[in-house]
Amino acid sequence: GLVPQRIRSKEVCPVPVMCVCIMLVLSGFAAVAAVTPRVAVFGGSGFIGSRVCQTLVDAGCDVVSLSRTGEAPAWASEERWCGRVEWRQSDLLSDRHPPLGHIDGAVSCVGNMRPSPRWESGSFFGLHWDYEAMVRENGLATDRSAAAARRAGASRFVYLSASSAHQFAYGGALMGYVDGKEAGEEAVRQRFGDAAACAVGPSLVLGGGRYAGLQQAYRALVDVPLVRAQTRLFKALKSGVSTGWVPQDAVGEVALTPPSEVGEVARAVCACLLGTVGEARFPSLG
């Protein structure tokens, strides 16, 4: 079969995380098409994870969400689909055997790039990112979620990572986030193999009512042919010089990359996991 590839930012495709994902989909759950797939979503209470839960429910799956709070997000508490999700509490950094039961597949939306609550003098406005904490919460947590999913019977695993451009640009203070995401990708690959693992790496994710005005203004500014052409030309020119494409250049590329809409990201994740889900089955999640 096809070997899953990384899903990159909007530079690759106008609808990056949908077009490529559908091409990468394998048979997935074809063997269990006659029954309802049971899917675990690690980090299912979060901004993206909750939309993944909603999309999976709308696609006809039984869904169990595992998160530190074990609760549905406030925005979804009155939604009908929310009552069809099993909301369970589990901290992957302390619980090696989260309450899963048998599952057919899993998604990890676990991740953290928040600054440390500890003030550090001499840093950027006192902000400090703890390298070890970010490696644990992005890498180790993903490894444990993949291990738990494999023990519970999952045949396929999708990991929400970050685009390669973002990883390159986030060096320095956020190196723990970058190293953690890369470690998470490798852990999933080791647990499930190339044929049953997929990493989705969107650009900046907005939508779902989050910074709605900013999203519209940002997209209007950068999602135009002239800006996309300028970014590609600059990258081609820089690749031919001795210094090459450096992290400082990647920061500019990331800044000029159109954001990914959270509903599109959720649909892409589910397409990678299920393979049989058509776009017509999804309601608008914007």
Side-chain angles (χ1 to χ4, degrees):
L2 299 174
V3 176
Q5 303 172 14
R6 290 185 46 74
I7 312 304
R8 302 185 188 277
S9 66
K10 295 236 174 181
E11 177 192 351
V12 178
C13 176
V15 190
V17 289
M18 278 301 296
C19 295
V20 183
C21 277
I22 294 174
M23 294 171 59
L24 299 177
V25 167
L26 303 180
S27 59
F29 294 105
V32 292
V35 299
T36 302
R38 189 166 189 270
V39 179
V41 180
F42 297 93
S45 297
F47 173 57
I48 301 176
S50 57
R51 270 76 180 185
V52 171
C53 289
Q54 179 183 11
T55 307
L56 287 169
V57 168
D58 290 339
C61 297
D62 288 338
V63 180
V64 53
S65 164
L66 291 98
S67 64
R68 285 175 174 171
T69 65
E71 300 176 351
W75 73 269
S77 59
E78 301 300 322
E79 298 285 335
R80 180 177 299 178
W81 66 267
C82 188
R84 296 171 57 190
V85 177
E86 298 176 44
W87 303 96
R88 298 185 178 182
Q89 184 176 17
S90 178
D91 186 340
L92 291 168
L93 295 180
S94 59
D95 185 3
R96 290 180 176 270
H97 298 280
L100 286 176
H102 175 78
I103 59 174
D104 299 295
V107 174
S108 175
C109 297
V110 173
N112 176 30
M113 61 183 304
R114 295 186 300 273
S116 170
R118 178 171 57 86
W119 177 275
E120 185 174 275
S121 61
S123 62
F124 181 71
F125 292 103
L127 294 177
H128 166 66
W129 283 266
D130 188 311
Y131 176 87
E132 297 297 335
M134 285 196 290
V135 169
R136 286 195 305 272
E137 296 188 13
N138 292 283
L140 178 60
T142 301
D143 181 32
R144 291 187 175 177
S145 67
R150 184 53 111 181
R151 288 194 302 268
S155 61
R156 188 160 175 79
F157 195 101
V158 179
Y159 175 45
L160 185 66
S161 186
S163 73
S164 55
H166 279 67
Q167 292 192 28
F168 193 41
Y170 286 164
L174 291 172
M175 187 55 69
Y177 175 79
V178 175
D179 289 349
K181 285 297 184 183
E182 291 181 347
E185 291 183 16
E186 181 59 27
V188 173
R189 188 178 299 111
Q190 290 292 327
R191 299 284 186 183
F192 283 85
D194 287 335
C198 183
V200 178
S203 57
L204 175 67
V205 181
L206 296 175
R210 189 184 197 186
Y211 309 119
L214 172 63
Q215 180 186 13
Q216 294 177 0
Y218 191 10
R219 188 180 297 276
L221 177 65
V222 302
D223 196 9
V224 294
L226 182 61
V227 172
R228 292 197 298 269
Q230 181 269 337
T231 301
R232 288 194 293 268
L233 176 61
F234 183 64
K235 192 169 186 177
L237 293 174
K238 283 287 292 186
S239 64
V241 300
S242 58
T243 56
W245 189 250
V246 297
Q248 291 87 344
D249 299 322
V251 171
E253 180 186 10
V254 167
L256 295 176
T257 299
S260 297
E261 202 278 325
V262 66
E264 292 180 358
V265 175
R267 289 190 286 270
V269 166
C270 296
C272 285
L273 185 70
L274 301 177
T276 57
V277 180
E279 184 177 1
R281 297 193 61 179
F282 298 120
S284 173
L285 301 182

